[in-house]
């Protein structure tokens, strides 16, 4: 059982004033501070140079789809719905390259896309029959407690058991019902909320993704129903040149979360999305979206959207110890997070267990290292000038991907180069 204290850090949790203090973990959970002079508790001082956050939550991704570069409309053109994008994507160089990789490769890359951006919880927007066997193999948590529709239209991909059956199952299990909604501007996309109302399924279980065609009346209905929205600003602008009416949604009290969408249309990762969405908000409204509000969107708001707020999303005692420790580069902890990059992550913890971090945190494991000097199942990589431990072997994965593709592919969500001398593939972007 893991038992340790992160001491002398700045603790940052939604709805509370940030403070300098300690955070204690026992097993999978955050516990009240423990006396490190007794028992086997390890105490690791952060020396007041680090911020301690809940790890981040990405409410919308397609984990089979995170191959790069993005594919979008021709210059000066934008899509009316998602369907012509799908046709363009399947005719693209990106898809041709991606087809050389296995589903296991693609999911593993996506797991590390999340991990290297401080994300420990994500939704893979695919039906259970396609992902239930593979998502437990990832180094992060891809939630399995959800119900799904591809989108609410006649031309959706018919995922799951049907919209009404999936929503009924969500209510019975207290799970989220997750669907694309109003992703486009044809008649059906414009009437997404009306369809949910007619089916009598617009409620707090709904996590609605994109929502770019919402009317003001739609926004009020969604707010009144207690539904949540996943905002994917980069993907929306890239494909449609418009995004959700996010300020009106916030003002109406809608629970707003942030998703990356797949990196085939969206940002490289969630840290990049935070920066993009904040700048987009400034351009759209001529005012700032406070960094603290963005922090809430990727922590407690997302936990609420997943109906998991009693388990994740904050650093409250009794919750799962999903923790992100980042280098303090700004005095304000929220600005520090929103302006952070992958190289600023010092430690990432999933349910009490470190999955990525600087070598100084290895004492948390309290176990004999293997021949490599690392716990079993971990490897080393170099990120910037720092040697980091990481769960699994992303360096070998990266090398294998390059071998299958046939050249030294650059994936911008992997912040390292495999230090393997035998890699003689052609260096091109």
């Amino acid at each position: 059982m893991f038992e340790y204290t992160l001491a002398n850090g700045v603790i940052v949790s939604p709805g509370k004033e940030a403070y300098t203090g300690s955070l204690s973990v026992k097993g999978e959970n955050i516990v009240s501070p423990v006396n490190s002079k007794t028992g086997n508790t390890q105490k690791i001082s952060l020396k007041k140079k680090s911020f301690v956050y809940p790890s981040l939550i990405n409410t919308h991704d397609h984990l089979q789809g995170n191959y790069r570069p993005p594919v979008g409309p021709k210059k000066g053109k934008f899509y009316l719905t998602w369907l012509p994008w799908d046709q363009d994507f399947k005719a693209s160089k990106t898809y041709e390259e991606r087809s050389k990789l296995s589903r296991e490769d693609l999911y593993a890359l996506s797991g590390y896309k999340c991990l290297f951006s401080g994300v420990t919880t994500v939704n893979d927007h695919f039906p259970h029959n396609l992902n239930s066997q593979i998502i437990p193999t990832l180094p992060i948590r891809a939630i399995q407690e959800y119900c799904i529709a591809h989108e609410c239209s006649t031309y959706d991909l018919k995922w799951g058991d049907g919209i009404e059956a999936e929503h009924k199952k969500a209510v019975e299990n207290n799970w989220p019902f997750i669907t694309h909604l109003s992703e486009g501007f044809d008649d059906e996309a414009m009437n997404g909320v009306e369809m949910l109302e007619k089916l009598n399924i617009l409620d707090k279980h709904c996590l609605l993704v994109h929502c770019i065609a919402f009317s003001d009346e739609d926004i009020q209905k969604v707010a009144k129903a207690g539904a949540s929205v996943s905002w994917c600003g980069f993907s929306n602008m890239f494909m449609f040149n418009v995004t959700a009416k996010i300020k009106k949604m916030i003002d109406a009290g809608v629970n707003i979360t942030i998703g990356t969408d797949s990196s085939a249309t969206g940002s490289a990762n969630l840290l990049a999305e935070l920066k993009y969405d904040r700048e987009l908000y400034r351009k759209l409204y001529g005012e700032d979206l406070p960094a603290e509000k963005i922090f809430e969107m990727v922590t407690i708001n997302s936990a609420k959207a997943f109906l998991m707020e009693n388990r994740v999303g904050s650093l409250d005692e009794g919750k799962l110890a999903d923790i992100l420790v980042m280098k303090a580069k700004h005095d304000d902890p929220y600005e520090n997070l929103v302006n952070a990059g992958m190289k600023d992550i010092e430690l990432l913890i999933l349910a009490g267990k470190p999955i990525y971090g600087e070598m100084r945190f290895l004492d948390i494991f309290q176990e004999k290292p293997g021949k490599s000097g690392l716990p079993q199942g971990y490897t080393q990589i170099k990120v910037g000038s720092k040697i980091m431990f990481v769960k699994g072997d992303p360096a070998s994965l990266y090398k294998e991907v390059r071998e299958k593709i046939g050249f030294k592919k650059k994936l911008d969500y992997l912040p390292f180069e495999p230090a393997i001398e035998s890699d003689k593939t052609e260096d091109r972007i």
Side-chain angles (χ1 to χ4, degrees):
M1 177 184 291
F2 288 90
E3 190 171 352
Y4 55 91
T5 295
L6 301 173
N8 300 314
V10 179
I11 312 300
V12 189
S13 191
K16 297 181 180 179
E17 290 288 332
Y19 66 94
T20 300
S22 298
L23 191 71
S24 294
V25 175
K26 187 172 184 179
E28 295 187 343
N29 302 106
I30 297 169
V31 297
S32 57
V34 295
N35 185 352
S36 60
K37 295 181 180 179
T38 63
N40 296 317
T41 300
Q42 293 285 334
K43 182 178 180 180
I44 299 173
S45 178
L46 301 178
K47 301 178 181 179
K48 301 181 182 179
K49 295 181 179 179
S50 303
F51 288 114
V52 182
Y53 306 97
S55 57
L56 308 184
I57 303 172
N58 182 352
T59 52
H60 186 62
D61 204 336
H62 297 272
L63 299 185
Q64 187 171 306
N66 285 317
Y67 197 73
R68 305 282 275 172
V71 174
K74 293 178 181 178
K75 189 174 181 179
K77 303 289 185 180
F78 295 96
Y79 297 123
L80 186 66
T81 69
W82 67 271
L83 191 56
W85 169 83
D86 188 63
Q87 295 163 352
D88 285 352
F89 177 67
K90 288 175 179 173
S92 70
K93 182 78 171 178
T94 297
Y95 185 77
E96 179 186 345
E97 283 182 19
R98 194 188 90 168
S99 299
K100 297 176 183 178
L101 305 179
S102 68
R103 289 185 72 242
E104 288 76 13
D105 293 334
L106 295 168
Y107 269 83
L109 287 172
S110 295
Y112 286 111
K113 165 192 166 176
C114 294
L115 182 150
F116 291 125
S117 60
V119 171
T120 57
T121 303
V122 65
N123 174 243
D124 176 34
H125 197 66
F126 280 111
H128 293 283
N129 65 308
L130 295 181
N131 68 15
S132 63
Q133 297 301 309
I134 198 166
I135 58 177
T137 68
L138 302 181
I140 49 84
R141 176 191 301 115
I143 65 169
Q144 298 190 68
E145 300 170 342
Y146 68 93
C147 297
I148 190 170
H150 171 247
E151 71 172 14
C152 294
S153 71
T154 58
Y155 51 81
D156 76 350
L157 297 178
K158 311 305 177 188
W159 289 348
D161 296 327
I163 294 170
E164 291 174 279
E166 289 286 317
H167 180 267
K168 180 181 179 183
K169 193 186 337 178
V171 173
E172 290 172 349
N173 290 282
N174 198 33
W175 293 353
F177 168 73
I178 305 175
T179 183
H180 294 142
L181 196 72
S182 294
E183 187 187 10
F185 294 98
D186 66 353
D187 288 343
E188 287 196 63
M190 296 286 283
N191 292 307
V193 170
E194 183 180 336
M195 177 180 282
L196 295 183
E197 283 187 309
K198 284 181 178 178
L199 296 174
N200 196 31
I201 61 173
L202 180 61
D203 60 19
K204 70 175 185 177
H205 295 272
C206 292
L207 172 53
L208 310 174
V209 182
H210 300 307
C211 309
I212 60 176
F214 274 17
S215 67
D216 291 355
E217 185 180 3
D218 290 337
I219 292 171
Q220 293 300 322
K221 289 177 178 179
V222 167
K224 184 177 180 181
S228 298
V229 167
S230 181
W231 180 29
C232 307
F234 186 101
S235 179
N236 296 162
M237 297 302 293
F238 183 68
M239 292 178 66
F240 303 102
N241 197 36
V242 68
T243 191
K245 297 176 180 176
I246 207 68
K247 185 179 188 306
K248 287 186 175 181
M249 290 184 183
I250 293 171
D251 291 346
V254 177
N255 183 50
I256 302 295
T257 71
I258 293 178
T260 57
D261 208 347
S262 80
S263 294
T265 62
S267 295
N269 59 29
L270 192 59
L271 292 178
E273 184 73 27
L274 302 188
K275 297 177 186 64
Y276 181 89
D277 288 349
R278 192 182 199 190
E279 186 57 31
L280 176 61
Y281 191 96
R282 288 184 181 125
K283 289 178 179 178
L284 291 175
Y285 304 112
E287 62 185 61
D288 190 36
L289 180 59
E292 185 175 2
K293 175 67 78 172
I294 297 172
F295 165 69
E296 292 169 353
M297 289 177 181
V298 291
T299 55
I300 194 63
N301 289 14
S302 295
K304 289 177 181 176
F306 285 162
L307 302 175
M308 294 176 64
E309 66 268 33
N310 63 330
R311 288 179 278 168
V312 297
S314 68
L315 298 177
D316 296 330
E317 184 179 341
K319 288 193 176 183
L320 291 173
D322 288 2
I323 300 167
L324 171 62
V325 179
M326 301 198 83
K327 184 177 181 180
K329 296 172 69 175
H330 291 257
D331 292 336
D332 182 275
Y334 309 109
E335 293 290 345
N336 191 73
L337 176 67
V338 173
N339 289 286
M342 291 184 284
K343 293 179 181 179
D344 297 319
I345 297 175
E346 296 179 333
L347 179 65
L348 185 63
I349 296 168
L350 173 63
K353 187 173 184 177
I355 56 174
Y356 176 56
E358 296 177 1
M359 301 300 284
R360 63 190 170 110
F361 294 106
L362 280 176
D363 286 346
I364 291 175
F365 286 91
Q366 298 177 284
E367 63 182 56
K368 261 189 177 181
K371 292 180 181 180
S372 66
L374 298 166
Q376 186 175 1
Y378 287 73
T379 56
Q380 288 183 3
I381 55 173
K382 188 175 182 181
V383 177
S385 61
K386 296 188 296 186
I387 302 298
M388 309 287 284
F389 67 82
V390 60
K391 186 176 181 181
D393 192 357
S396 292
L397 171 67
Y398 205 174
K399 179 177 181 292
E400 183 180 353
V401 165
R402 288 174 166 181
E403 289 172 347
K404 290 180 177 180
I405 298 302
F407 65 94
K408 199 172 180 179
K409 179 76 177 183
K410 305 289 187 181
L411 290 168
D412 49 1
Y413 49 74
L414 300 181
F416 66 94
E417 277 294 314
I420 301 173
E421 293 182 1
S422 61
D423 186 354
K424 297 180 180 179
T425 49
E426 180 187 357
D427 188 1
R428 87 178 185 209
I429 297 177

